[in-house]
Amino acid sequence: MYRSPLDLLRLFLSLFQDLPPLSRSLYLPGAVLLIGYPVLSVLLGPDHNGQAFATAFLAALAVKIGMGFEGMVKRMLTRYSPTQAVVFALLFAGLPLAVLALADDPLWCQRMQSLFYVVIAGVFLQDVLNGRTATAASFWPHEEMRAHLPNLTKMMVVYNFTFLMLNETMIRLVEPSQWLLFWAVLPVIGHMVLRAMVLTVINLDAGHEA
């Protein structure tokens, strides 16, 4: 069934209605950052704002990684052996924390978010180029999602590159102290957008089959 671009936009926006309750993993890291940065700024003094920002961001990122570590391992187990999955998960989780532990410049924190989008987008793009859906299947393993995996793989490339450009735009437009507000709400925004995009893919696939 053909839909005009305006119809697609209306469909996409309608999917933001009646969102389910949000999990703690979406807002708790942001809360840690929003509380930790002002406290550390006072404790360290005005001459160490960069260190306060990087330390608070490191704590928030550690909370975020810790809350999502089990899920990350489970997704990697769909593609790798148990030993490989644990090693890759530890590297993926530990390397950003190790880098930020040595940083005292907010730009390192901001660019770390961009690097995350580049890596995830690259993984999905590789699947698109190779005609695979393994990564998407690890995110949506249910049987009823199998038919949608090719389009979901393409969608995730668009999703991650879009948020990469959004993050880079925010880095250039706002001060680091204002960017942290953006980062704090970013998981909630990303969750809502991703949910809407997934439902849009499902609806479009259903329309093509009709």
Side-chain angles (χ1 to χ4, degrees):
M1 181 191 305
Y2 173 76
R3 290 188 175 96
S4 69
L6 185 58
D7 289 334
L8 295 178
L9 179 61
R10 287 171 179 166
L11 170 63
F12 179 74
L13 294 177
S14 71
L15 299 173
F16 285 97
Q17 300 175 4
D18 301 323
L19 289 170
L22 301 176
S23 68
R24 289 182 300 173
S25 62
L26 291 176
Y27 59 81
L28 188 57
V32 171
L33 180 58
L34 293 179
I35 295 172
Y37 175 58
V39 171
L40 288 170
S41 294
V42 172
L43 293 176
L44 297 176
D47 295 332
H48 298 87
N49 279 336
Q51 183 180 354
F53 188 106
T55 304
F57 186 83
L58 176 63
L61 186 60
V63 170
K64 183 175 182 179
I65 290 175
M67 297 183 75
F69 187 79
E70 182 179 357
M72 178 170 58
V73 172
K74 287 181 178 179
R75 285 192 294 271
M76 288 186 174
L77 284 173
T78 63
R79 303 189 63 173
Y80 306 107
S81 69
T83 301
Q84 289 176 321
V86 172
V87 171
F88 289 152
L90 289 174
L91 286 174
F92 194 76
L95 188 58
L97 297 177
V99 171
L100 291 180
L102 302 175
D104 59 1
D105 187 344
L107 186 60
W108 283 87
C109 305
Q110 295 170 308
R111 287 283 157 74
M112 188 65 69
Q113 185 65 34
S114 292
L115 179 61
F116 168 80
Y117 290 126
V118 169
V119 171
I120 301 301
V123 171
F124 279 102
L125 180 59
Q126 186 178 28
D127 277 2
V128 171
L129 296 177
N130 293 326
R132 299 195 304 255
T133 59
T135 307
S138 69
F139 281 84
W140 296 280
H142 303 295
E143 180 66 28
E144 62 270 19
M145 297 298 290
R146 181 170 298 179
H148 307 297
L149 293 179
N151 285 332
L152 288 174
T153 301
K154 298 173 185 176
M155 179 212 72
M156 286 298 287
V157 176
V158 175
Y159 171 86
N160 282 282
F161 277 126
T162 298
F163 273 87
L164 168 64
M165 291 187 291
L166 176 61
N167 188 59
E168 286 297 314
T169 300
M170 294 298 293
I171 291 173
R172 286 166 173 76
L173 291 182
V174 302
E175 295 295 324
S177 59
Q178 297 170 324
W179 179 88
L180 68 84
L181 293 173
F182 164 71
W183 190 87
V185 300
L186 184 59
V188 177
I189 297 172
H191 173 75
M192 292 189 298
V193 171
L194 181 59
R195 179 180 181 273
M197 292 180 72
V198 170
L199 292 176
T200 299
V201 167
I202 293 173
N203 278 278
L204 289 175
D205 285 347
H208 290 150
E209 293 173 359

